[in-house]
Amino acid sequence: MAQSQEISQVTVRPSSLLATPNTVAATELRPWGSFTTLEEGRGYKIKRIEVKPGHRLSLQMHHHRSEHWIVVSGTAKVTCGDEERLLAANESTYVPQCTNHRLENPGVISLILIEVQNGEYLGEDDIVRFQDDYARN
């Protein structure tokens, strides 16, 4: 019995036509842990965030970006608007732009997650803090 094999056509675009992301991999320390910017391009930024056991980020919001959080390891306690929930490894959540949110680690091991930011402006100064354990503005 003869078997047929299909060959699909592949379109190759010159690299000059593709958006070139900036690979950064710069780690910044915070009182709650650290984050590493893995990649940044037009309208997006990808970070690896590590939160120490028993610590949490400020209750905050952003005017210019939304965020997707994917838990890699540990347990995340997520506050998003009026909702609070726990996320385990391989679970994710979405934080819409202009929504109060907080991330904390209620566990005994480090929480590691990947954050994908999308928006017109992704600077660290687009943070409005409502509560902060470390007295930051």
Side-chain angles (χ1 to χ4, degrees):
M1 186 182 293
Q3 293 181 341
S4 65
Q5 293 181 343
E6 294 181 27
I7 299 174
S8 61
Q9 183 178 0
V10 176
T11 302
V12 178
R13 294 182 183 170
S15 61
S16 62
L17 296 179
L18 301 174
T20 305
N22 298 318
T23 303
V24 183
T27 299
E28 294 193 31
L29 300 178
R30 294 292 186 263
W32 45 261
S34 64
F35 71 85
T36 303
T37 301
L38 302 174
E39 186 176 301
E40 184 172 359
R42 186 176 190 175
Y44 78 95
K45 185 184 290 188
I46 303 169
K47 291 181 176 180
R48 177 191 182 274
I49 296 176
E50 186 166 346
V51 183
K52 297 185 276 191
H55 287 261
R56 63 185 182 173
L57 284 68
S58 58
L59 178 63
Q60 59 186 253
M61 63 87 79
H62 310 287
H63 288 288
H64 303 285
R65 71 175 183 245
S66 61
E67 298 174 342
H68 291 264
W69 296 339
I70 304 103
V71 177
V72 175
S73 63
T75 301
K77 183 177 177 184
V78 174
T79 302
C80 187
D82 295 331
E83 186 179 324
E84 194 173 276
R85 61 186 240 186
L86 292 176
L87 296 177
N90 203 33
E91 294 182 323
S92 63
T93 193
Y94 172 69
V95 179
Q97 181 177 317
C98 296
T99 303
N100 293 358
H101 60 280
R102 171 177 264 161
L103 175 65
E104 59 186 285
N105 180 355
V108 295
I109 64 169
S110 288
L111 163 63
I112 298 173
L113 62 87
I114 299 299
E115 175 182 86
V116 180
Q117 301 175 358
N118 290 99
E120 62 190 52
Y121 178 72
L122 305 171
E124 289 301 309
D125 57 346
D126 181 28
I127 297 175
V128 178
R129 288 191 175 90
F130 301 104
Q131 294 176 354
D132 186 62
D133 295 348
Y134 312 101
R136 296 173 296 172
N137 293 327

